[in-house]
Amino acid sequence: MKKKLLITIDGPAGSGKTTIAKLLAKKLKYRYVDTGALYRAVAFEIIKNKVDIEDKNALSSLCENLNLTFCKKTGHIKSNKIDIEDKIRNPEIDMMASKSSAKETVRKALLNIQKSIGKEKAAIFEGRDMGTIVFPNADLKFFLTADIETRAKRRFADFQKTNLNVDLSYVENELKKRDENDSKRKLSPLKPAKDSIMIDSSNINQEEVVNNILLKVQALN
């Protein structure tokens, strides 16, 4: 019987980790967990409720009353049982997610949710600190990256699919800001775990990335 593994895929925005994690989960018949969607959902609630993230009491109150779940059938994030997937993929949410994720109150609130999901293993967790903070003992850890131009083009294409009217230079600048926010924050900064397997997807396609990861998975089974 094959081992049930817990696999983490971390990396910056636009590195392709969401697509890769979904493809990998499908091939392995594992559960895919988009942890970034959890932070985006919190950002959505912050904006919706006009919460000042510098107001510790207001932020704590919001986090204490969060009701975030994933739909098992679609994988979509739900807040208070309402599917908000189509409301959390835009530049405003991107930046608020980056800012609010630097707050200890937010990270603590979401840590237990993630750990609870991971107990059963047979899951792919995609995010920014999965291999360093949330699952330091994961069976396999990957850190996926790509150059800024490639990542900007990917994110721009994503926005075009949702009919967001933004230009490529704006997307690239926003990515640079987010990279700086994520990598320089004191709490859970974006960085590869010491035992992460690094993959640069700038010049290789999705299938090649997935196959590289599958080779590592097969080596453990």
Side-chain angles (χ1 to χ4, degrees):
M1 183 177 179
K2 289 185 177 181
K3 296 178 184 176
K4 288 184 178 180
L5 304 177
L6 193 153
I7 300 170
T8 64
I9 301 178
D10 290 315
S15 60
K17 61 185 185 297
T18 298
T19 302
I20 298 304
K22 286 180 178 178
L23 290 171
L24 188 64
K26 188 175 182 179
K27 284 184 175 292
L28 293 173
K29 295 182 180 179
Y30 275 18
R31 184 173 185 180
Y32 160 68
V33 184
D34 177 5
T35 61
L38 289 170
Y39 286 96
R40 288 171 178 274
V42 174
F44 170 80
E45 291 295 339
I46 288 170
I47 293 170
K48 175 185 172 184
N49 293 285
K50 299 179 181 179
V51 172
D52 179 357
I53 63 171
E54 301 305 328
D55 184 334
K56 291 184 179 180
N57 290 332
L59 190 59
S60 293
S61 178
L62 181 137
C63 288
E64 286 170 7
N65 291 289
L66 286 172
N67 178 18
L68 303 179
T69 56
F70 286 100
C71 175
K72 288 187 177 181
K73 187 176 181 179
T74 64
H76 288 183
I77 188 76
K78 291 184 174 182
S79 183
N80 296 314
K81 299 182 180 180
I82 298 172
D83 189 326
I84 59 169
E85 187 71 26
D86 63 346
K87 295 181 173 67
I88 62 169
R89 309 289 175 181
N90 60 66
E92 182 184 20
I93 294 292
D94 278 358
M95 291 311 296
M96 179 55 76
S98 181
K99 291 175 183 176
S100 59
S101 66
K103 302 299 181 183
E104 187 173 7
T105 301
V106 173
R107 300 203 78 84
K108 280 186 175 180
L110 298 184
L111 185 62
N112 290 335
I113 295 174
Q114 296 168 87
K115 284 187 175 294
S116 178
I117 297 172
K119 285 180 180 178
E120 297 179 11
K121 291 203 171 187
I124 313 291
F125 279 81
E126 173 246 311
R128 283 175 171 73
D129 64 349
M130 294 299 100
T132 53
I133 302 297
V134 184
F135 299 111
N137 297 316
D139 297 294
L140 277 172
K141 304 176 188 177
F142 296 92
F143 193 90
L144 190 60
T145 189
D147 59 58
I148 188 66
E149 292 83 5
T150 300
R151 292 193 288 124
K153 287 177 182 177
R154 289 172 180 167
R155 184 50 61 91
F156 178 68
D158 289 340
F159 288 152
Q160 283 190 312
K161 291 175 185 176
T162 57
N163 296 316
L164 281 175
N165 187 23
V166 294
D167 60 43
L168 183 58
S169 61
Y170 173 81
V171 174
E172 184 170 328
N173 286 332
E174 290 297 293
L175 279 180
K176 288 177 180 177
K177 289 178 187 176
R178 181 153 194 192
D179 285 351
E180 186 170 6
N181 286 345
D182 290 349
S183 61
K184 291 186 177 180
R185 68 188 180 212
K186 292 182 180 179
L187 190 65
S188 301
L190 170 66
K191 63 179 182 180
K194 290 181 180 179
D195 52 348
S196 281
I197 298 167
M198 304 291 292
I199 300 177
D200 188 329
S201 66
S202 301
N203 299 305
I204 58 175
N205 61 37
Q206 296 168 357
E207 186 178 354
E208 289 175 297
V209 175
V210 171
N211 287 338
N212 284 343
I213 294 175
L214 284 174
L215 287 174
K216 301 296 182 181
V217 173
Q218 289 164 5
L220 292 182
N221 281 292

